[in-house]
Amino acid sequence: MTRSSPPKQSPPAPRHVTPQRLAELRGGPEVPQRPLDARALAALAANPGCRRRALLDGAGVDKQAVATALGAPAPFGQSQFALVRGNAFEARVKADGGEVVLALLCAQVGEAPPEPGEVTVPDVTADGPAGRAERTRQALAGADDGWMLLDHPLLALEVAGSTAYLEPDLLAVHPDGSVSIIEIKSFPILDGTADPVKAGAAARQAAVYALALEDIRTVRENALLVCPKDFSNQPTAGLLPLRKQVAATRRQLHRLTRLDEIAAGLPEGAHFAPGQDPGALLTAVEALPAAYAPECLSTCELAFHCRARARGTGAVVALGRSVRGELGGLETVHDVLSAASGDPEAPAAADPAAEMLRRAASLRAEALAAAGTEAAATGIPARAGTWTGGAGPAGAEVS
Ligand code: SF4
């Protein structure tokens, strides 16, 4: 007798937040939608616990304007000078119908560069992002066995129940039908080495493009990073391995809570138009759970606001994820100080991190006592700060 297995349940159909609901969240249909780009998705993937960023980015809210309206604007984005320089460099890399960039690609992957005239450059312009994404998809799907170069194509990716449109600098289809993602950046490659932080950010961006491409064509495991060579304007290139990055980004984006679930937790009528009453805007923003970490300072326009709120509550996460990881179940600075005090009656004294904290507190006391003795002998006052929460000793920034 064979056992029949229970019928497989198909996964629930994805629920989309309607464009009308997204427009309401922005403050009305007249408020323009900020496109969700690969840089933002890569930052979201790096902090999937932040529902605040997920909803604001998903709805296309202008976070910079919201931060300014909340009185906490963060310096963000490239300067005008950097933008102009970056655009000039990109034009140089793409010159001559892509001859320069394809030569760099072929040198890196060990293939013979195509002759001029052997490369198809399809027109993927169309009205609206959905039209451009469809033109890009058709061009990629219809590529034959020759070289193809797509300049500023548009890719669609479903994220948390919403469609994001992503614009890689270039895509190259090889004669074997696989696709290379090409990222052009204006930071230099010095003596053959790129800044690892900037190269890592470029790889995360390329991984997002790879996810958007993978149901259209096979994506190569390395993206091409093109940058200025040393301090010149000459392009040079290197390969960015994508395999681990794609797996991690896929996992993190799947963990993002659906936008409709997050939006359902907002008070009735709440929206994020920066021009509304600041109190109402603050209430709406604070209704969205955030997950601040010092990394936000380089990736999110709301970082100054979220940092101030995290410090205000004494949340230890404001000191960094590594510090948070060391402190086990202790979530606030108050709990940490209580555990370190040595008071056996303190609730935090039972936490596994308490013994380590008591030891650290006693070492600190010894060091300060020794410094005090030395100060008395030399007449030079010892610097002893008081840890007040978000700032370090004597007000030094911890982040
Ligand atoms: S700054 Fe705030 S909104 Fe932005 S990612 Fe960090 S916690 Fe989230």
Side-chain angles (χ1 to χ4, degrees), residues 293-309:
E295 291 80 2
C296 293
L297 291 170
S298 60
T299 58
C300 186
E301 295 88 340
L302 281 168
F304 283 5
H305 171 78
C306 296
R307 181 176 66 174
R309 306 301 285 194

Side-chain angles (χ1 to χ4, degrees), residues 179-223:
V179 182
S180 281
I181 295 162
I182 301 174
E183 277 294 283
I184 303 171
K185 298 291 181 194
S186 54
F187 60 83
I189 292 183
L190 299 171
D191 290 332
T193 308
D195 178 326
V197 174
K198 291 176 176 169
R204 283 193 291 279
Q205 244 179 283
V208 175
Y209 300 138
L211 287 175
L213 275 165
E214 63 185 4
D215 66 333
I216 311 176
R217 280 204 169 257
T218 305
V219 183
R220 295 231 169 168
E221 287 192 353
N222 296 304

Side-chain angles (χ1 to χ4, degrees), residues 243-283:
R243 199 144 64 93
K244 280 189 189 162
Q245 205 61 257
V246 169
T249 306
R250 188 199 319 276
R251 211 170 40 244
Q252 302 290 49
L253 290 180
H254 280 171
R255 280 180 59 203
L256 285 176
T257 307
R258 301 189 56 83
L259 298 188
D260 49 2
E261 281 178 41
I262 304 175
L266 286 171
E268 184 75 27
H271 62 82
F272 303 96
Q276 67 184 298
D277 169 62
L281 179 61
L282 181 64
T283 303

Side-chain angles (χ1 to χ4, degrees), residues 89-90 92-94 100-102 104-105 108 169-170 181-189 194 202 223-229 233-240:
F89 179 68
E90 185 175 325
R92 182 181 183 127
V93 172
K94 293 179 175 177
V100 175
V101 73
L102 286 177
L104 289 168
L105 176 62
Q108 289 291 327
D169 292 327
L170 284 169
I181 295 162
I182 301 174
E183 277 294 283
I184 303 171
K185 298 291 181 194
S186 54
F187 60 83
I189 292 183
L224 187 77
L225 175 67
V226 183
C227 296
K229 183 174 176 0
N233 204 21
Q234 286 296 324
T236 187
L239 293 177
L240 292 171

Side-chain angles (χ1 to χ4, degrees), residues 292-298 303-304 307-308 310-311 316-323 387 389-393 395-399:
Y292 176 78
E295 291 80 2
C296 293
L297 291 170
S298 60
F304 283 5
R307 181 176 66 174
R311 285 180 171 178
V316 292
V317 73
L319 303 175
R321 292 196 179 104
S322 57
V323 177
W387 192 24
E397 291 285 317
V398 172
S399 54

